[in-house]
């Protein structure tokens, strides 16, 4: 490993033209009941390059990546690794051929140290582990790729970006030559994305191949040597080179129509206060998670909550939704006190909630789309699927959900489509005229077309006089959509600004905890 | 005051501690793999009586010990199959095992009642060391199983925290999905350690029977030591070394009331003292049964929950 590290200075591009193909897939078919997720897909990645898979939600990107690393076996087609045909029966087999996938849901033991996590599962270690030796070994591997990492740190205390780095180091430690990164930036804040990209450069410089999946076109253009566009399971285009690529053109290739990439803030009148939060505090296990939060959201207003993940956003949303009782303070929705009265009481007065954890809290994975819709639709004892069916079909169309009908099981949807089902349920069919929409990371994992749709729907809802609380780690999204922005840091509101007047640098500084209480 | 009775008490306390160390380590290995086996008391009883019968029939105490361990592993394998393969509720499965083990022990024990074994496990001889006043009989007056139990706790600690399989074991208890993603079999690891844990518990039961009790007295033979062993693991924070100290502490607390009575010291009612270990156990068991408090105590994260691979 150390013999390759001196190449870092050369940069990745000089070799990419002549570099040999590291892994190629030929006419891959992968069927799932009702869908052809991959339809004779050809794909290849060379040593030392970043090859991006681009495509709308449900296009088959994750499926292809899963085939490439041995998680799924293709129904037809084959893989060639370094000129030889290979058969991957499991991810373990993939690893033996130097192919590793970094999952979006990290596979790390929180209580273990970094190095314990990295070596877990490695078979070539001696029976007795000497902590110092392992730490040194892991640090050496990490350093040879310019991935600074503290081998003794407990993983549970690390940020999301650092954990991701541990996953990457783990893959490298296990000898990965080809890394598949499925939406690695979806969970990262901008500064962490930058670091990830530095790491990617260091890896490609060392001759590793990266298969990259992302919906963020700006990133894709920045990092990719080549781009392959998938649509409905088929390869629909190849774009080469970096920097030269036009994001608008990419978006069109992806969804087959023109996309407005920058959402507009509509001007509109604001009404009465729908959500009132007073001195809200929450302690969990004697640790203050939320401290003294007070703010209002008015009808026709969108208030954005910015902040780095883990600064109390999820707890704030759950508290407003009635899922958690605050330690002190009050929550009023449409004039009714909902503090301590549970989620149903909050929904009765017009709450709609799109939680962060889609398949965990938002949807029941083992139920169909229609049953998931019904969860909030009627509280009668008898389930009436029949009368909801037309609406379900309409919503599937309106939200462009890729599914074979209302009976499609939620867990068999692609990540982006699951999010759309959740949004469709929450944004439609409320019991009160004025509603409070609490939406967490509504566009995470969505393709550009879907993002456009979702943002339009949110804007329409606001224009129709709904009150919206938008909680998102995507700073651009918060700034471009919200009328007002609050920054949450360590459970307290540390910065407040009007959406239009909000300065990216100031908000960014406040998110990092560098603000001087400016409200 | 009679010094001898205090020395005797200490020796007895360490004897009880031996059973607690073995049963505690058994529970610890099981729980470190993420399996909660509340059936320890049942295993303890069943293996005690089977070891008695085996030793009686064969005339060999050592064969009795091996047989006790074997019965422990077999009973634990039932729990392992129920909770790992069939993903049954582990609390229910464990309680069922207590009832089954107790019933089995009482049934098998019928012919053994009133009988005694004529060979005993001799204390190891350390020559003149045993004659040192006070310390001699306590530290150097024990048999090989007691010393082995302490050694085992030390070895277990090394195994758990500084070997590769130990790392995999801890990971299985904390985060089985991660272990699964590494291509290791969660089910195999869990079944293996549940059975190994059962064998240790069985050995503890057998030793209690053969080295400590004069004969089979039904449930009074173990006197709830299985439950205390479960609590001990909680108090030890799932660390083998702390099991030793906890076991000795519990051992003394369990012996103290008898000694006080014999010495006619009455400023604390002995019934109250007798109750203490069980009260502590009750509290620990309640904490162990609730996922929230379990996490606060630092239990393995997946303790008690079956592992199902994510479908997607
Ligand atoms: N395990 C599965 N069972 C059934 N259908 C599946 C399964 N996995 C994926 N699909 C279907 O295959 C298609 C492709 O899904 P895939 O997850 O590859 O999309 P994707 O391009 O990664 O989308 P996204 O951007 O939303 O993550 C989708 O229609 C999805 O519903
Ligand atoms: Mg995907």
């Amino acid at each position: 490993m150390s013999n390759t590290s001196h190449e870092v200075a050369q940069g990745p591009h000089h070799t990419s033209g002549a570099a040999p193909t590291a892994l190629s897939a030929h006419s891959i078919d992968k069927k799932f009941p009702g869908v052809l997720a991959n339809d004779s897909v050809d794909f290849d990645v060379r040593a030392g390059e970043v090859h991006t898979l681009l495509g709308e939600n449900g296009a088959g990107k994750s499926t292809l990546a899963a085939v490439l690393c041995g998680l799924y076996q293709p129904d037809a087609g084959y893989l060639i690794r370094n000129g030889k045909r290979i058969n991957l029966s499991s991810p373990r087999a993939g690893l033996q051929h130097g192919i590793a996938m970094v999952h979006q849901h990290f596979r790390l033991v929180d209580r273990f140290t970094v190095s314990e996590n990295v070596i877990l599962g490695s078979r070539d270690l001696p029976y007795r582990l000497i902590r110092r030796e392992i730490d040194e070994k892991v640090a050496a591997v990490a350093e040879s790729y310019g991935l600074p990492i503290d081998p003794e740190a407990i993983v549970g205390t690390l940020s999301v970006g650092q954990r991701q780095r541990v996953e990457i180091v783990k893959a490298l430690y296990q000898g990965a030559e080809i890394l598949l990164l499925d939406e690695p930036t979806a969970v990262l804040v901008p500064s962490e994305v930058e670091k990830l990209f530095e790491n990617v450069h260091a890896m490609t410089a060392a001759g590793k191949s990266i298969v990259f999946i992302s919906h963020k076109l700006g990133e894709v253009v920045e990092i990719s040597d080549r781009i392959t566009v998938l649509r409905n399971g088929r390869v629909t285009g190849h774009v080469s080179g970096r920097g030269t690529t036009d994001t608008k053109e990419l978006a069109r290739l992806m969804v087959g129509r023109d996309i407005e990439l920058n959402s507009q803030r509509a001007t509109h009148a604001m009404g009465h206060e729908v959500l009132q939060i007073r001195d809200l505090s929450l302690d969990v296990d004697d640790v203050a998670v939320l401290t003294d939060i007070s703010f209002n959201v008015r009808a026709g207003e969108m208030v954005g909550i910015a902040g780095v993940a883990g600064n109390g956003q999820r707890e704030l949303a759950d508290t407003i939704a009635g899922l958690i009782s605050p330690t002190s303070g009050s929550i009023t929705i449409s004039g009714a006190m909902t503090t301590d009265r549970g989620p149903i009481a909050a929904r009765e007065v017009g709450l709609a909630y799109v939680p962060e954890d889609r398949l965990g809290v938002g949807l029941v994975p083992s139920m169909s789309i229609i049953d998931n819709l019904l969860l909030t639709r009627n509280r009668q004892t008898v389930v009436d699927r029949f009368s909801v069916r037309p609406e379900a079909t309409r919503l599937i169309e309106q939200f462009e959900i890729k599914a074979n009908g209302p009976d499609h099981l939620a867990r068999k949807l692609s990540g982006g489509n699951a999010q759309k089902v959740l949004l469709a349920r929450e944004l439609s069919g409320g019991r009160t005229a004025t509603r409070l929409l609490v939406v967490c990371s509504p566009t995470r994992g969505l393709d550009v077309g879907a993002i456009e749709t979702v943002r339009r729907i949110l804007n329409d809802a606001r224009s129709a006089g709904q009150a919206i609380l938008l909680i998102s780690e995507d700073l651009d999204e918060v700034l471009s959509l919200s009328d007002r922005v609050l920054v949450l840091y360590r459970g307290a509101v540390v910065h407040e600004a009007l959406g239009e007047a909000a300065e990216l640098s100031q908000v960014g500084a406040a998110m990092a905890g560098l603000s001087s209480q400016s409200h | 005051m009679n010094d001898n009775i205090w020395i005797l008490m200490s020796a007895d306390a360490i004897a009880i501690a031996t059973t607690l160390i073995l049963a505690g380590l058994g529970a610890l290995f099981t729980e470190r793999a993420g399996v909660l086996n509340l059936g320890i008391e049942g295993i303890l009883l069943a293996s005690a009586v089977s070891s008695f019968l085996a030793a009686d029939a064969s005339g060999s105490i050592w064969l009795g010990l091996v047989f006790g361990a074997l019965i422990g592993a077999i009973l634990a394998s039932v729990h392992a199959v129920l909770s790992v393969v069939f993903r049954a509720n582990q609390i229910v499965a464990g309680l069922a095992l207590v009832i089954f083990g107790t019933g089995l022990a009482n049934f098998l024990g019928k012919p053994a009642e009133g009988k005694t074994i004529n060979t005993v496990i001799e204390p190891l001889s350390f020559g003149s060391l045993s004659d040192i006043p006070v310390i001699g009989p306590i530290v150097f007056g024990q048999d090989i199983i007691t010393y082995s139990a302490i050694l085992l706790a030390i070895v277990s600690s090394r195994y758990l925290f500084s070997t590769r399989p130990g790392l995999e074991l801890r990971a299985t208890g904390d985060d089985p999905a991660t272990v699964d993603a590494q291509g290791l079999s969660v089910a195999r690891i869990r079944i293996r350690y549940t059975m190994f844990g059962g064998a240790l518990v069985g050995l503890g039961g057998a030793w209690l029977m053969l080295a400590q009790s004069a004969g089979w007295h039904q449930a009074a033979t173990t006197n709830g030591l299985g439950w205390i062993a479960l609590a001990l693991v909680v108090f030890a924070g799932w660390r083998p070394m702390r099991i030793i100290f906890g076991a000795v502490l519990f051992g003394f607390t369990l012996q103290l009331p008898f000694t006080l009575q014999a010495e006619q010291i009455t400023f604390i009612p002995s019934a109250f003292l007798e109750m203490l270990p069980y009260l502590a156990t009750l509290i620990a068991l309640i904490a162990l049964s609730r996922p929230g408090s379990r996490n606060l105590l630092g239990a393995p994260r997946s303790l008690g929950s079956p592992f199902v691979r994510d479908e997607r």
Side-chain angles (χ1 to χ4, degrees):
Chain A
M1 267 148 233
S2 53
N3 57 338
T4 48
S5 60
H6 63 268
E7 291 174 26
V8 172
Q10 282 185 9
H13 295 296
H14 304 273
T15 51
S16 58
T21 301
L23 174 70
S24 57
H26 300 268
S27 339
I28 298 289
D29 278 0
K30 179 69 191 170
K31 288 190 203 76
F32 289 117
V35 275
L36 193 51
N38 283 169
D39 184 356
S40 53
V41 171
D42 291 323
F43 182 80
D44 70 291
V45 60
R46 300 187 192 121
E49 78 164 348
V50 178
H51 193 161
T52 295
L53 275 172
L54 195 64
E56 46 186 340
N57 296 128
K61 305 178 296 291
S62 299
T63 304
L64 180 59
V67 168
L68 292 177
C69 76
L71 195 61
Y72 290 162
Q73 281 69 53
D75 297 317
Y78 56 96
L79 303 176
I80 303 265
R81 170 95 174 99
N82 287 340
K84 277 200 220 75
R85 197 167 156 159
I86 54 168
N87 219 332
L88 303 180
S89 54
S90 71
R92 186 132 214 120
L95 212 50
Q96 270 151 14
H97 286 100
I99 307 163
M101 176 128 156
V102 172
H103 293 272
Q104 215 187 81
H105 296 280
F106 301 139
R107 294 282 191 233
L108 297 171
V109 184
D110 282 357
R111 281 187 191 163
F112 280 13
T113 66
V114 168
S115 53
E116 282 177 328
N117 264 296
V118 170
I119 62 161
L120 181 66
S122 298
R123 303 280 159 88
D124 54 352
L125 283 167
Y127 180 84
R128 258 195 77 199
L129 303 175
I130 298 164
R131 200 163 288 270
R132 191 174 37 79
E133 278 177 15
I134 306 165
D135 285 352
E136 275 169 16
K137 221 167 149 184
V138 169
V141 171
E143 238 154 70
S144 65
Y145 296 97
L147 296 153
I149 205 170
D150 173 11
E152 289 169 44
I154 301 292
V155 162
T157 65
L158 300 181
S159 73
V160 178
Q162 289 169 315
R163 281 180 215 204
Q164 191 172 60
R165 196 175 307 154
V166 177
E167 283 274 23
I168 292 174
V169 169
K170 177 165 188 163
L172 293 171
Y173 181 89
Q174 293 176 330
E177 292 292 322
I178 299 163
L179 280 103
L180 311 168
L181 309 178
D182 192 355
E183 299 193 39
T185 58
V187 290
L188 301 183
V189 293
S191 60
E192 287 177 329
V193 172
E194 247 166 65
K195 278 202 203 101
L196 172 69
F197 283 5
E198 279 168 25
N199 298 339
V200 166
H201 286 310
M203 287 189 285
T204 50
K208 310 274 157 178
S209 314
I210 309 284
V211 176
F212 184 76
I213 299 175
S214 170
H215 289 294
K216 299 181 181 166
L217 298 177
E219 280 172 16
V220 167
V221 169
E222 185 189 334
I223 194 81
S224 317
D225 294 300
R226 283 193 292 158
I227 300 166
T228 291
V229 182
L230 282 179
R231 178 146 29 110
N232 289 332
R234 312 187 65 114
V235 176
T236 56
H238 295 284
V239 187
S240 66
R242 137 187 5 201
T244 55
T245 339
D246 169 13
T247 51
K248 256 207 139 121
E249 170 64 16
L250 275 182
R252 214 183 45 73
L253 265 175
M254 256 175 81
V255 296
R257 64 184 164 87
D258 278 321
I259 295 286
E260 188 50 65
L261 288 174
N262 301 311
S263 51
Q264 292 293 305
R265 200 195 322 266
T267 46
H268 51 275
M270 288 184 205
H272 63 281
E273 287 166 353
V274 178
L275 173 68
Q276 293 168 311
I277 293 184
R278 289 288 162 275
D279 306 321
L280 193 72
S281 292
L282 174 70
D283 294 351
V284 177
D285 301 338
D286 287 329
V287 179
V289 177
L290 299 173
T291 32
D292 273 337
I293 293 182
S294 301
F295 65 89
N296 301 324
V297 184
R298 307 201 306 186
E301 182 183 36
M302 184 163 350
V303 172
I305 304 268
V308 178
N311 275 287
Q313 293 98 319
R314 188 171 0 109
E315 289 81 0
L316 176 63
D318 280 352
T319 313
I320 297 172
L323 299 172
I324 308 180
S325 285
T327 312
S328 64
S330 70
I331 298 162
T332 311
I333 300 175
S334 295
M337 271 276 279
T338 58
T339 332
D340 295 336
R341 292 189 43 215
I344 292 178
R347 283 190 179 270
E348 288 297 332
V349 291
L351 170 90
Y353 181 34
V354 178
E356 199 176 65
D357 180 8
R358 291 157 202 176
L359 286 178
V361 182
L363 299 175
V364 182
S366 56
M367 294 195 336
S368 65
I369 294 180
I370 193 161
D371 285 0
N372 270 295
L373 287 175
L374 274 166
L375 280 179
T376 56
R377 278 299 184 281
N378 58 2
R379 303 222 67 81
Q380 290 127 24
T381 328
V382 181
V383 175
D384 180 10
R385 285 198 187 85
F386 191 71
S387 65
V388 193
R389 187 166 281 273
E391 196 199 345
T393 315
R394 185 178 59 73
L395 286 173
I396 288 175
E397 229 161 78
Q398 186 193 336
F399 282 77
E400 294 156 14
I401 297 166
K402 279 224 170 56
N404 34 9
D407 297 316
H408 198 112
L409 292 187
R411 75 173 150 79
K412 295 201 170 160
L413 292 166
S414 81
N417 282 304
Q419 172 73 337
K420 288 193 219 167
V421 171
L422 182 55
L423 281 163
R425 181 182 80 200
E426 296 297 322
L427 294 178
S428 63
R431 279 183 291 268
T432 52
T434 308
R435 312 182 65 213
L436 169 68
L437 311 180
V438 177
V439 278
C440 302
S441 307
T443 59
R444 179 194 288 175
L446 294 196
D447 64 55
V448 279
I451 290 176
E452 188 196 44
T453 314
V454 167
R455 291 189 179 162
R456 196 190 63 236
I457 289 167
L458 286 176
N459 269 326
D460 290 351
R462 167 171 53 184
S463 305
Q466 318 286 29
I468 302 175
L469 184 65
L470 169 69
I471 301 178
S472 173
E473 286 143 38
D474 184 341
L475 190 52
D476 290 331
E477 173 167 277
V478 172
L479 290 180
S480 66
L481 289 175
S482 319
D483 300 300
R484 220 150 34 92
V485 177
L486 308 178
V487 178
L488 212 53
Y489 177 72
R490 297 208 168 148
V493 175
V494 293
H495 186 80
E496 179 168 356
L498 286 181
E500 276 153 69
E503 290 240 5
L504 188 67
S505 59
Q506 274 186 13
V507 174
M511 282 169 67
L514 306 170
S515 96
S516 49
Q517 210 76 22
S518 66
H519 63 277
Chain B
M1 210 192 267
N2 184 354
D3 274 349
N4 253 340
I5 197 160
W6 291 98
I7 293 168
L8 274 178
M9 178 194 110
S10 305
D12 280 350
I14 288 177
I16 290 179
T18 304
T19 303
L20 281 179
I21 291 174
L22 288 170
L25 286 177
L28 186 142
F29 274 107
T30 311
E31 291 178 22
R32 276 287 186 177
V35 177
L36 182 60
N37 185 356
L38 293 182
I40 304 291
E41 177 76 4
I43 297 180
L44 217 47
L45 278 170
S47 55
V49 85
S50 351
S51 72
F52 183 93
L53 294 176
D56 193 41
S58 69
S60 158
I61 280 208
W62 305 109
L63 213 70
L65 287 174
V66 170
F67 199 68
L70 198 69
I71 292 293
I74 290 171
L75 285 182
S77 74
V78 174
H79 184 70
V81 168
L82 283 177
S83 47
V84 178
V85 181
F86 296 106
R87 297 180 194 136
N89 181 318
Q90 297 182 11
I91 293 185
V92 176
L95 293 179
L97 188 54
V98 176
I99 297 169
F100 176 70
T102 312
L104 184 70
N106 286 341
F107 172 71
L108 294 177
K110 276 267 149 51
E113 240 159 296
K115 268 201 200 175
T116 48
I117 294 244
N118 30 23
T119 44
V120 289
I121 304 180
E122 291 291 340
L124 285 193
S125 160
F126 291 92
S128 57
L129 284 177
S130 315
D131 301 332
I132 304 170
V134 186
I135 300 197
I138 299 175
V139 177
F140 300 104
Q142 311 298 338
D143 69 28
I144 182 148
I145 300 291
T146 300
Y147 297 118
S148 306
I150 293 170
L151 192 68
L152 184 68
I154 297 167
V155 172
S156 300
S157 182
R158 302 283 303 167
Y159 179 79
L160 210 50
F161 296 108
S162 42
T163 70
R164 190 163 40 81
L167 186 76
E168 287 164 3
L169 167 60
R170 284 186 294 136
T172 308
D174 256 2
D175 195 343
T178 295
V179 172
D180 184 57
Q182 291 310 314
L184 300 164
S185 165
V186 172
R188 205 174 300 160
I189 293 175
R190 287 192 161 170
I191 291 173
R192 189 187 305 148
Y193 285 103
T194 305
M195 288 182 65
F196 176 64
L200 287 183
V201 175
L203 183 63
W207 182 82
L208 182 68
M209 181 81 237
L210 299 175
Q212 289 301 302
S213 314
W216 170 247
H217 313 291
Q218 296 183 336
T221 311
T222 59
N223 237 328
L225 280 184
W227 296 110
I228 293 179
L230 278 169
L232 180 58
V233 180
V234 177
F235 291 121
W238 289 266
R239 283 165 194 278
M241 292 305 280
R242 296 194 199 157
I243 291 269
I244 303 178
F245 302 108
V248 171
L249 191 71
F250 268 110
F252 271 97
T253 328
L254 283 165
Q255 275 307 309
L256 195 61
F258 301 116
T259 315
L260 291 184
Q261 250 172 352
E263 290 283 292
Q264 304 198 331
I265 299 171
T266 51
F267 66 94
I268 312 175
S270 69
F272 177 75
L273 281 180
E274 264 175 69
M275 180 191 71
L276 272 186
Y278 298 100
L279 188 67
T281 299
L282 191 65
I283 294 168
L285 285 181
I286 291 170
L288 195 60
S289 304
R290 299 185 51 234
S293 47
R294 212 185 278 159
N295 279 343
L296 278 183
L297 292 167
R301 289 268 159 78
S302 76
L303 182 57
S305 40
F307 170 67
V308 191
R309 182 182 289 167
D310 229 344
E311 299 283 285
R312 283 211 53 179

